[in-house]
Amino acid sequence: MLTRALTDVTEALTAGGVQAVFDPRDLVTPGVLVQVRELEYSRMDNTTVDVVAELWLIATNSGPALDAQQLDQLAAQVRSVFPARTFETAVFTLGNHSPDNLPGLKTTIHLTIGD
C-alpha cells in the first residue's frame, strides 16, 4: 500500500498540473516531493488504508521574490487537487540539487485508498 499511496498522490498532483514526484532524485524545481508519513489499516477489510502524506513544495532558490512567487503558485496548484489548508515554511536540503538549502513549504494531506 505504500507504493500505491505514493503513486496515487503523485498522479493526482501531476494530473492537476503540478510537477510532483516521490523520489527526490527525480525532482525538478519548482516542484512537489511526496512523502507518506502514516498508513493506518483501520477497516476490517484489510484492503482499505487511511494515509497521511506530507507534500514538500520546493522552490529553485532563485531569490526571495521569485521563490515566493513559485511557492504561491505551487500552493494554489496543490489546493486545487487536495484540501490542504495549512502550509509551514521550511528549508530542504537535496544533495542532487544544491549544497544550499532550498526554500519551501510543507503541508499534510489525509486520504483513504482501497481496492
Side-chain angles (χ1 to χ4, degrees):
M1 280 295 192
L2 177 59
T3 301
R4 179 162 175 207
L6 288 165
T7 302
D8 284 1
V9 173
T10 302
E11 287 177 354
L13 288 168
T14 301
V18 180
Q19 163 62 36
V21 297
F22 57 84
D23 185 338
R25 297 171 295 183
D26 297 332
L27 181 68
V28 175
T29 57
V32 175
L33 184 62
V34 177
Q35 300 291 304
V36 170
R37 190 171 77 196
E38 182 179 311
L39 298 172
E40 181 180 354
Y41 293 87
S42 58
R43 311 281 193 312
M44 296 294 286
D45 62 11
N46 288 325
T47 61
T48 303
V49 62
D50 295 316
V51 178
V52 178
E54 286 187 352
L55 306 181
W56 299 356
L57 291 63
I58 303 174
T60 59
N61 197 16
S62 299
L66 183 56
D67 293 340
Q69 185 179 37
Q70 290 174 352
L71 294 171
D72 281 343
Q73 182 177 7
L74 284 172
Q77 289 174 313
V78 165
R79 292 192 74 232
S80 74
V81 177
F82 292 108
R85 293 189 191 117
T86 303
F87 292 82
E88 299 175 42
T89 58
V91 292
F92 302 98
T93 303
L94 300 173
N96 61 325
H97 287 275
S98 169
D100 299 326
N101 290 332
L102 298 171
L105 298 172
K106 181 173 65 171
T107 190
T108 302
I109 61 169
H110 301 260
L111 63 148
T112 300
I113 60 174
D115 291 335

